[in-house]
Amino acid sequence: MSEPTDSTNSPLRMRRSTTAEQIKHLIMQRGLRPGDTIPTEAELCNDLGVSRSSVREAIRTLATLDIVEVRHGHGTVVGNMSLTPLVETLVFRGALTPGDDLEALREVIELRRVLDLAFTDAVVDAHKGKANPIIERLVTNMVERSNNNEPFLSDDRLFHSEMLSPVGNPLAVQLVAAFWDIHTAVLPKLDLALPDDMRQTAQAHSDLYWSAQRGDHEGYRHAVIAHYDPLVRMLQKQAKS
Amino acid sequence: MSEPTDSTNSPLRMRRSTTAEQIKHLIMQRGLRPGDTIPTEAELCNDLGVSRSSVREAIRTLATLDIVEVRHGHGTVVGNMSLTPLVETLVFRGALTPGDDLEALREVIELRRVLDLAFTDAVVDAHKGKANPIIERLVTNMVERSNNNEPFLSDDRLFHSEMLSPVGNPLAVQLVAAFWDIHTAVLPKLDLALPDDMRQTAQAHSDLYWSAQRGDHEGYRHAVIAHYDPLVRMLQKQAKS
DNA sequence: CTTCATTTGTTCGTATGTATC
DNA sequence: CGATACATACGAACAAATGAA
């Protein structure tokens, strides 16, 4: 039985935690908020008693998780802890599987649809009777663009965030935005975007807003179905081939 | 004056992409699957023409996203691209906000509840009329433990995964499991876990399964509500103070 | 069980690019 | 413009873990 290295030979090594965890601990201890600067690499080397490389790898880890944000030549600040790591992981997972990527896309789209349906009541109640100039402008813009066969990606993303925003769950807003990002990142690998489908999608956005605006839960649900219908049909067609 | 280390053996320097992206590209090119070994650090240094530090930071980035998995003294393999990065980010975000952490917990719990409700039809249809010995054992075990005031965390997590598993959306299963992890990681900061609540939660699990098993959609929805009811009440109580 | 090669983990020193003042 | 502070990159050396001979 080999003794597990009693570590008494390393005086300051009672830390089993990694450098990244120590930096996280430091952020919590000092009560730093997103945007606040964290100590420089050199300071962290002294404070934590580790080398520059270790500090850099730890910061790299935290930057990947969007827990910190590195600004070249300026310094490192606390990040806003977005869902970027989720997006990156799932986008790569979708891009990795060569023949099976539409299965990954199907799962993402189903989740988006299910989430939209799940928030139906909250969204409709939040928008009922309240005009929203921002969303109205987005909707008219999307419809117009679809008629000219122009894309409307950025409007699309903003629309869904704005619709979900007033329900009072920022995490949910971020999550659907993240799935939107994954969706649009994985999708271009497949050929689609037919003009008719684009027009149907734009119209569905319009129906979503106006259904919610007049408190029509059932109409909203139908609009959700119609919104994802072109994608579902496309996936079924691809699956047959 | 100082010559820029004329490493003539690496003439391809036109790459603007990061080292991490090059490694991702390499994984895709070779069609590597989770578990397959990727080249060693030394080999990557030669192949990509960068230093070992850069390779290590890139690998660290990919390991953070669970795109690769590093095994000390053995090598590095392709990871399974789980949702661990999402969990880590959100757990830290919840732990960071000192007085506002129950707001973060509320958002997570609302999302869990919404997701469970959103998959009601699929889950009920998938389990209707089909006995599931694994889940039945989990349920009886949880009820028994709750009567003895013993925790049943691992059973709880497995239960939700097993319930959602047959709907055929692995991504959804991973997502609810991830939110379960976030939930249980953020929760211990608050004092709770009353015996009555534990019994109600265990009973709700039982109701969830048996409702689905007999095809009772409405009963399933009520069980979902009851499942999160203790937490919702606790959050409201905490919010008042 | 021991030895040894392989591979990742850690550290140090140095040089370079970049943003701010 | 220069000076400073900072992140980025490189290379060499040694430590620790793993697995096979």
Side-chain angles (χ1 to χ4, degrees), chain A residues 13 49-55 57 72-74:
Chain A
R13 194 49 70 100
V50 292
S51 76
R52 195 101 173 245
S53 309
S54 300
V55 167
E57 286 187 10
H72 193 154
H74 175 261

Side-chain angles (χ1 to χ4, degrees), chain A residues 20 23 54 146 187 218:
Chain A
I23 297 177
S54 300
S146 73
L187 184 134
E218 201 53 36

Side-chain angles (χ1 to χ4, degrees), chain B residues 44-61:
Chain B
L44 287 173
C45 293
N46 291 338
D47 294 358
L48 306 181
V50 292
S51 74
R52 184 158 171 237
S53 310
S54 301
V55 167
R56 282 189 57 77
E57 287 189 11
I59 288 183
R60 197 67 160 218
T61 298

Side-chain angles (χ1 to χ4, degrees), chain B residues 2 40-41 52 56 70 72-73 75:
Chain B
S2 60
T40 67
E41 293 180 353
R52 184 158 171 237
R56 282 189 57 77
V70 183
H72 191 163

Side-chain angles (χ1 to χ4, degrees), chain B residues 2 10 13 27 31 36-41 46 58-59 62 98 112 153 164 182 186 216 224 236 239:
Chain B
S2 60
S10 62
R13 191 61 69 90
I27 293 174
D36 294 347
T37 65
I38 71 173
T40 67
E41 293 180 353
N46 291 338
I59 288 183
L62 299 181
R112 285 195 64 198
L153 269 186
L164 197 54
I182 299 166
V186 177
D216 181 2
V224 172
Q236 288 176 341

